[in-house]
Amino acid sequence: MRIAVIARIFGILLTVFSLTQLPPIAVSLWYEDGTHTAFTAAFVITLVTGLFMWLPVHDLRQELRTRDGFVVTSLFWLVLGSFGALPLIISPYPALGITDSIFESISGLTTTGATVITGLDDLPPAILYYRQQLQWFGGIGVIVIALAILPMLGIGGMQLYKAEIPGPVKDTKLTPRIAETARALFVIYITLTLLCGLGYWWAGMTAFDAVGHAFSTVANGGFSTHDASMGFYANNHAIMAICIVFMFTAAINFGLHFIAFRSRGLSHYWRDSEFRFYVILTLSAALLISCYLWYLGTFTPTGSFLHGFFQVVSIGTTAGFASESFYAWPAFLPYVLLMLGILGACAGSTSGGIKAVRGMLILKSGLRELNRLVHSNAVVPIKVNRKIVPERVTDAVWGFFAVYILSFFVLTVIVMATGENFVTSFSTVASCLSNIGPALGEAAAHYGSVNEVAKWFLVLAMLMGRLEIFTLLVLLTPAFWRH
């Protein structure tokens, strides 16, 4: 590991990240809400720190190697999340402490969407805008890391995509193709955001809300400018439909969007095994929940299908918007939604969770074992997109799943040990580890009532979930630091 190379990268990152404080300053001055001093102070602190790290090593031209990539990827969210909390710490509104500010910032950047803030409708516009912007920048960070870096690092079976996506394919260093990949993905990301924002505005949102919700929708983050979340617009079916479309679009592997961007065609989407698996799963779950809500008489037939489909897509894509208080829905429904969020959507998207491709591989692997019980000598290869998946990838997926479940149970017990009840502990850990946002129990409405110690462990869960767990845990192994 080369400290100078890593310092140069984080110097550049912080210097660029400091510029994200400028739009909120403009919003504050436009609305005259008085928060521009907090954002100005955050801008200066972040910029000076970035330049302090970058200037001594700015002439360094060494390429980033795989070992350095683990460190940079792991520290990316923590460092930017900590500096991103500065405006929330400094601003008198919404009067958050250090713990809550870091929780809110990292929740935004990791696109988790868990919030400790109440009274959103009364907050200064610049603070509301900044929360949405955090998620938008976090979303593009998620995509670039997922598609350009994690496959090369071989994290939990994501090397399956090494030859399938427009990213680096060498195993010794992160190549300049990352920059080329990032630029193309950024164009796609901005295009989706513009289309989403224009759609919201056309459907009846104010320009401010349209921009803010487009940021969090395309990032599948779930932050809103209203306490009622998208329920504020529940009577506007056009807005709800636009939200569903763009949440789902952002939950598709951006590698497929990249191919569509290059080839000007759409037929490759349905040829992708993971996409088909996720579409079928989402439609099945949406029909099940909608019909059950209708059967119980919770809503009218139209309301049952509107809220059923919206919440399945919202939680399943780990966006976490709420059209209604789904945590109060009867019977098993809130837990079905939580399970969908734990699985998550497609790899290489802005969504969190285990990822559909891993779920698909685990299912195929289980079916293969059942087949082997009947035909013990049969050779049954597992295929994705008509290609045989190497055993090394299957083993990595099972390893990831085992570590994910173990981490989930350990963190649940730890949060319970801090004083939270089982439902709150179970659901908050599941939500943060899968970057979903909404939870059950005492944290159903917001995380403000969760104790401070538990919040730090939930921050750890968000980081682990966004880092695909192995990226963070590998830093704790003696072998990583031995050479």
Side-chain angles (χ1 to χ4, degrees):
M1 186 177 70
R2 294 163 296 177
I3 301 297
V5 177
I6 294 171
R8 181 175 181 271
I9 288 173
F10 276 106
I12 295 171
L13 280 175
L14 287 175
T15 302
V16 173
F17 187 68
S18 70
L19 301 178
T20 65
Q21 306 296 337
L22 299 181
I25 292 174
V27 172
S28 177
L29 293 174
W30 177 266
Y31 286 98
E32 299 180 345
D33 63 14
T35 60
H36 62 279
T37 53
F39 290 106
T40 303
F43 166 72
V44 172
I45 293 170
T46 308
L47 177 63
V48 169
T49 305
L51 292 175
F52 180 78
M53 296 179 69
W54 176 73
L55 285 173
V57 291
H58 71 280
D59 287 331
L60 195 64
R61 288 293 179 266
Q62 292 179 327
E63 288 180 313
L64 191 69
R65 297 193 180 277
T66 301
R67 188 182 298 270
D68 307 319
F70 278 105
V71 177
V72 170
T73 306
S74 297
L75 293 179
F76 177 86
W77 307 105
L78 181 60
V79 172
L80 296 191
S82 299
F83 279 89
L86 287 175
L88 301 176
I89 295 172
I90 299 169
S91 174
Y93 307 102
L96 300 181
I98 293 176
T99 298
D100 283 349
S101 296
I102 291 177
F103 183 96
E104 193 79 9
S105 175
I106 289 181
S107 176
L109 275 175
T110 58
T111 72
T112 301
T115 184
V116 295
I117 301 176
T118 55
L120 292 173
D121 297 83
D122 301 319
L123 281 183
I127 295 291
L128 292 175
Y129 170 83
Y130 181 64
R131 293 172 71 248
Q132 308 302 108
Q133 181 186 270
L134 275 175
Q135 294 210 313
W136 192 75
F137 281 113
I140 187 59
V142 167
I143 295 167
V144 171
I145 287 175
L147 284 180
I149 297 175
L150 291 186
M152 197 221 66
L153 298 181
I155 299 301
M158 290 300 97
Q159 63 267 45
L160 178 69
Y161 287 93
K162 188 182 294 185
E164 301 295 329
I165 58 161
V169 294
K170 295 186 179 180
D171 290 320
T172 56
K173 57 180 179 286
L174 304 188
T175 74
R177 289 189 63 193
I178 289 180
E180 177 190 337
T181 302
R183 280 193 296 270
L185 294 173
F186 198 51
V187 169
I188 297 168
Y189 192 70
I190 289 176
T191 302
L192 287 177
T193 305
L194 286 172
L195 292 174
C196 183
L198 289 171
Y200 281 146
W201 182 62
W202 168 82
M205 277 191 183
T206 64
F208 182 84
D209 272 5
V211 171
H213 284 89
F215 281 174
S216 55
T217 302
V218 174
N220 271 323
F223 276 167
S224 176
T225 56
H226 303 286
D227 284 317
S229 189
M230 291 301 291
F232 189 84
Y233 295 101
N235 293 326
N236 188 322
H237 292 182
I239 288 177
M240 301 291 280
I242 290 166
C243 190
I244 289 172
V245 168
F246 280 95
M247 283 191 296
F248 192 83
T249 302
I252 299 170
N253 189 327
F254 268 64
L256 296 178
H257 294 328
F258 182 90
I259 295 170
F261 178 72
R262 284 284 179 89
S263 65
R264 303 291 191 271
L266 301 176
S267 61
H268 63 281
Y269 282 101
W270 193 248
R271 291 199 299 268
D272 183 75
S273 300
E274 183 188 31
F275 177 78
R276 292 198 306 272
F277 176 80
Y278 188 63
V279 168
I280 292 169
L281 177 68
T282 301
L283 288 176
S284 301
L287 286 171
L288 168 67
I289 288 180
S290 298
C291 290
Y292 199 69
L293 287 171
W294 184 12
Y295 170 75
L296 293 175
T298 307
F299 302 105
T300 62
T302 301
S304 297
F305 282 90
L306 173 68
H307 293 297
F309 269 81
F310 184 91
Q311 287 304 154
V312 165
V313 174
S314 178
I315 304 300
T317 60
T318 73
F321 285 121
S323 64
E324 222 268 344
S325 301
F326 71 89
Y327 50 83
W329 284 358
F332 60 92
L333 297 184
Y335 293 94
V336 171
L337 289 171
L338 197 61
M339 294 303 109
L340 286 171
I342 290 173
L343 174 63
C346 301
S349 70
T350 56
S351 300
I354 291 173
K355 302 294 187 303
V357 68
R358 290 193 182 107
M360 180 179 67
L361 286 172
I362 289 170
L363 177 62
K364 288 189 174 189
S365 181
L367 293 174
R368 180 177 66 176
E369 293 309 310
L370 287 175
N371 197 9
R372 282 176 172 173
L373 289 175
V374 180
H375 306 285
S376 57
N377 296 322
V379 177
V380 186
I382 295 175
K383 293 184 178 181
V384 172
N385 297 335
R386 299 181 180 178
K387 296 179 182 178
I388 295 176
V389 177
E391 287 294 327
R392 172 70 187 89
V393 173
T394 308
D395 291 343
V397 168
W398 276 108
F400 174 89
F401 183 69
V403 174
Y404 190 96
I405 297 300
L406 180 62
S407 301
F408 172 74
F409 281 115
V410 169
L411 285 168
T412 299
V413 171
I414 290 174
V415 173
M416 287 179 66
T418 68
E420 301 296 334
N421 62 53
F422 173 73
V423 173
T424 302
S425 302
F426 172 87
S427 63
T428 53
V429 169
S431 185
C432 290
L433 192 61
S434 302
N435 305 119
I436 303 169
L440 308 176
E442 298 298 320
H446 58 84
Y447 285 63
S449 60
V450 177
N451 69 77
E452 286 208 356
V453 177
K455 284 173 184 169
W456 283 108
F457 282 104
L458 293 177
V459 166
L460 174 63
M462 291 184 221
L463 293 172
M464 290 177 68
R466 188 43 77 196
L467 288 166
E468 304 280 342
I469 297 182
F470 281 152
T471 316
L472 186 62
L473 293 183
V474 74
L475 300 183
L476 304 179
T477 61
F480 181 84
W481 303 98
R482 199 165 288 154
H483 302 290

